[in-house]
Amino acid sequence: MKSTQLEIQCSMQILKPVNEVFEAIVNPEQMINYFISKSSGRMEEGKNLTWNFPEIEMDVPVKVAKIINDKYISYYWENGESTQLVEMNLKPYKDGFTVVTVTEKSMENTETGIKWLKENTEGWANFLACLKAWLEYGIHLRKGAFDYRFEKK
């Protein structure tokens, strides 16, 4: 029997050690350089946070689930009408680099689920590219990238 659940998974190698990548993901002072515009706090196990994104005026509730220092981060966030689990695995790679794998799950294999799969796969690929650009080169790659999507017409 085929699974009716859709799941997103994206990976990228970051040319920085795992402890630097981990800190950039859990520390809101770093996250504002490549992902969010504001957070109510640092990602810590069991903590409820609110994130804001640069392109939209919307509070996004985040419930941090599990944190394993320099290895694993998981949280739940609301995606409109449902809540998804996001997992980030960090694995050291040769020469002191890090492979980051982001998994978001899950949605039913319906028209709504397929739309979520498309949009959030694009979003996680962008997250990884922006994280890489920030950590390796200090570039704010996300700035202005999605303004056109949220312009009021």
Side-chain angles (χ1 to χ4, degrees):
M1 180 192 287
K2 291 185 178 181
S3 172
T4 60
Q5 295 294 305
L6 301 173
E7 182 175 295
I8 296 166
Q9 188 170 72
C10 297
S11 297
M12 187 174 286
Q13 179 178 322
I14 309 291
L15 305 181
K16 290 290 181 177
V18 72
N19 64 314
E20 287 184 40
V21 176
F22 178 84
E23 184 62 19
I25 295 171
V26 300
N27 183 341
E29 291 177 19
Q30 290 203 43
M31 289 174 74
I32 62 172
N33 293 297
Y34 67 90
F35 187 46
I36 60 175
S37 59
K38 184 178 168 187
S39 175
S40 61
R42 182 179 175 87
M43 292 185 77
E44 296 171 345
E45 202 165 298
K47 202 168 188 181
N48 290 309
L49 303 173
T50 302
W51 286 350
N52 299 100
F53 289 85
E55 304 84 15
I56 52 176
E57 292 181 28
M58 181 173 94
D59 289 341
V60 177
V62 173
K63 166 101 173 118
V64 182
K66 187 171 180 78
I67 303 276
I68 301 173
N69 197 40
D70 296 342
K71 292 183 182 188
Y72 178 81
I73 300 156
S74 68
Y75 60 90
Y76 293 90
W77 67 350
E78 291 185 24
N79 182 19
E81 302 160 8
S82 61
T83 301
Q84 271 66 50
L85 171 64
V86 175
E87 297 177 296
M88 296 185 185
N89 285 285
L90 287 70
K91 293 192 177 169
Y93 191 66
K94 60 184 172 185
D95 298 325
F97 302 147
T98 305
V99 174
V100 179
T101 301
V102 179
T103 305
E104 184 175 1
K105 49 190 165 186
S106 62
M107 292 278 282
E108 291 290 323
N109 189 357
T110 63
E111 191 173 320
T112 300
I114 291 168
K115 182 178 186 283
W116 164 82
L117 182 74
K118 177 191 171 297
E119 290 175 357
N120 284 29
T121 298
E122 181 182 296
W124 288 118
N126 181 266
F127 166 87
L128 290 169
C130 291
L131 174 63
K132 182 177 181 70
W134 167 248
L135 283 176
E136 293 180 19
Y137 305 102
I139 296 170
H140 297 265
L141 194 59
R142 185 176 178 119
K143 186 175 183 178
F146 299 110
D147 293 348
Y148 71 98
R149 284 188 172 178
F150 300 98
E151 276 185 21
K152 297 190 182 188
K153 296 180 182 188

